[in-house]
Amino acid sequence: MGTDTPVILEGDYVLTGPAVPEGPVRAVFLHEDDEGQVTANYLRREPEAGPQRHRARVSVLYGRWLAAQARAAGVPVIAPRPWEDLAGRVAETVEDASAKTVASTRTTAT
């Protein structure tokens, strides 16, 4: 069942499958590539577990693979930091990607 309702899907390990440049799903993949930052994020969320360096390393490596998959599918990949302007950068990236898709569709159709 389809819907025209805008939805934001957020989470770790979300695959890029439904998002293709010409499709109805628009996506931006956020990738944090700094193991130290990921370790700090885990420590802030789960202080009782202590520094989770191995988990952070695995997360960054898997994130790199997911980012490569996203790029291969034509999905933009951006860094989440600085966090203060993330929403604006995501909106700009989606608008840019949508404009390129429209321009490409017009060029192909003519």
Side-chain angles (χ1 to χ4, degrees), residues 7-40:
V7 175
I8 295 176
L9 177 63
E10 182 277 332
D12 295 347
Y13 307 107
V14 175
L15 299 176
T16 60
V20 293
E22 296 81 23
V25 177
R26 298 289 183 247
V28 174
F29 184 83
L30 304 178
H31 174 57
E32 176 58 69
D33 201 48
D34 182 334
E35 288 179 41
Q37 182 64 55
V38 175
T39 300

Side-chain angles (χ1 to χ4, degrees), residues 2-77:
T3 179
D4 289 334
T5 304
V7 175
I8 295 176
L9 177 63
E10 182 277 332
D12 295 347
Y13 307 107
V14 175
L15 299 176
T16 60
V20 293
E22 296 81 23
V25 177
R26 298 289 183 247
V28 174
F29 184 83
L30 304 178
H31 174 57
E32 176 58 69
D33 201 48
D34 182 334
E35 288 179 41
Q37 182 64 55
V38 175
T39 300
N41 293 351
Y42 287 150
L43 187 58
R44 217 174 0 269
R45 284 195 321 225
E46 303 165 4
E48 70 284 352
Q52 299 178 61
R53 290 180 186 87
H54 179 73
R55 179 180 174 200
R57 173 86 176 139
V58 169
S59 292
V60 168
L61 291 174
Y62 188 64
R64 287 176 185 167
W65 179 82
L66 286 173
Q69 296 297 307
R71 287 183 188 103
V75 175
V77 177

